[in-house]
Amino acid sequence: MPDTVMIFAAGRGTRMGALTETQPKPMIPVAGKPLLDHALKIVDEADGVSQIIVNTHYLADQIHAHLADRDILFSHEDTLLETGGGLKQALTLHKTASLFTLNADAVWSGPNPMQMLLQAWDPDRMDALMLLVPPENAIGHLGQGDFTIAPDGQLTRGPGLVYTGCQIIKTHPVAQVDEDVFSLNVAWDAIRQSNRLFGMPYQGAWCDVGHPDGITLAEKMLEGADV
């Protein structure tokens, strides 16, 4: 079972406008604490995680200082490597066969998402297991969905469920990509070709906090208000 989590915290957060002029997006407060701390609470409450990796780039010193009292492995990117490239670089610092990934710019209300994935993970059939949410529960998200799910849980591309940024993924499809800068979509497409890309719906609400309006929406969601 995976015992490592990679939290993506390297992006510049340009959609946040003035809010990220002097602080990185993961440090923006939502409901009284930084977005990054919301992600870490999920990690802390999941079973069996012994290694946390956080990638950084923009105003990285603030994130490093905030986490100075925690046992965190930092993977600093001198230039932005995108999600796939960021994970590939982190794997040079910490070898593992599979791991969780979690985005730092989302807030959750409901069951622990990592725990849900852990209970459903079947490495004999799966190279990746994504947590997805129906569009009506994807608060603040403007897209039409990313994947459709078959009865057996296999995923195909297309409008439908929204990827939440939380998954378990084996590392070899990422490490095998030749490029250094690439999206995780490259690895997912390779996994899909082998019929080993799976997903499951999240039984709760999820808020995209990648833009300023998402802050208010996330706080209302956490208060249990209609959003």
Side-chain angles (χ1 to χ4, degrees):
M1 289 298 182
D3 61 1
T4 300
V5 61
M6 167 87 166
I7 299 177
F8 289 108
R12 292 188 60 87
T14 54
R15 288 191 298 157
M16 284 292 188
L19 291 174
T20 50
E21 286 182 356
T22 59
Q23 64 183 343
K25 182 169 61 172
M27 294 303 298
I28 291 175
V30 173
K33 63 182 181 181
L35 276 167
L36 186 55
D37 286 0
H38 288 275
L40 286 167
K41 184 174 187 290
I42 291 171
V43 174
D44 292 341
E45 293 178 353
D47 290 339
V49 175
S50 60
Q51 180 64 66
I52 301 171
I53 306 170
V54 175
N55 72 336
T56 59
H57 172 69
Y58 177 62
L59 299 176
D61 57 323
Q62 294 184 33
I63 295 175
H64 290 214
H66 181 67
L67 300 178
D69 62 344
R70 295 198 52 140
D71 183 17
I72 302 285
L73 178 63
F74 292 104
S75 179
H76 182 71
E77 301 176 14
D78 293 327
T79 59
L80 283 173
L81 302 175
E82 300 187 37
T83 50
L87 179 52
K88 181 181 176 182
Q89 174 179 284
L91 295 175
T92 66
L93 306 176
H94 178 75
K95 304 295 185 184
T96 182
S98 61
L99 79 169
F100 295 93
T101 74
L102 186 64
N103 289 353
D105 60 355
V107 174
W108 305 72
S109 176
N112 185 294
M114 290 174 56
Q115 197 67 29
M116 285 188 64
L117 288 173
L118 189 62
Q119 292 170 354
W121 176 240
D122 182 357
D124 291 336
R125 293 191 303 134
M126 304 170 179
D127 283 349
L129 176 62
M130 298 180 177
L131 201 57
L132 309 162
V133 65
E136 61 269 21
N137 292 339
I139 298 166
H141 186 76
L142 304 178
Q144 298 299 311
D146 307 297
F147 295 95
T148 58
I149 187 168
D152 66 353
Q154 286 200 49
L155 298 181
T156 55
R157 297 279 187 180
L161 300 177
V162 176
Y163 174 55
T164 60
C166 187
Q167 66 172 335
I168 297 174
I169 186 169
K170 291 183 180 177
T171 56
H172 66 81
V174 177
Q176 288 175 348
V177 177
D178 290 335
E179 293 78 10
D180 292 327
V181 181
F182 62 96
S183 167
L184 272 173
N185 283 297
V186 175
W188 292 334
D189 287 344
I191 293 170
R192 174 70 191 114
Q193 290 297 315
S194 300
N195 297 316
R196 296 180 64 85
L197 182 66
F198 284 78
M200 60 183 296
Y202 179 62
Q203 305 300 323
W206 169 89
C207 186
D208 176 4
V209 196
H211 51 88
D213 290 344
I215 298 171
T216 301
L217 292 172
E219 290 175 341
K220 288 182 178 179
M221 180 190 75
L222 292 173
E223 293 169 358
D226 292 332
V227 287

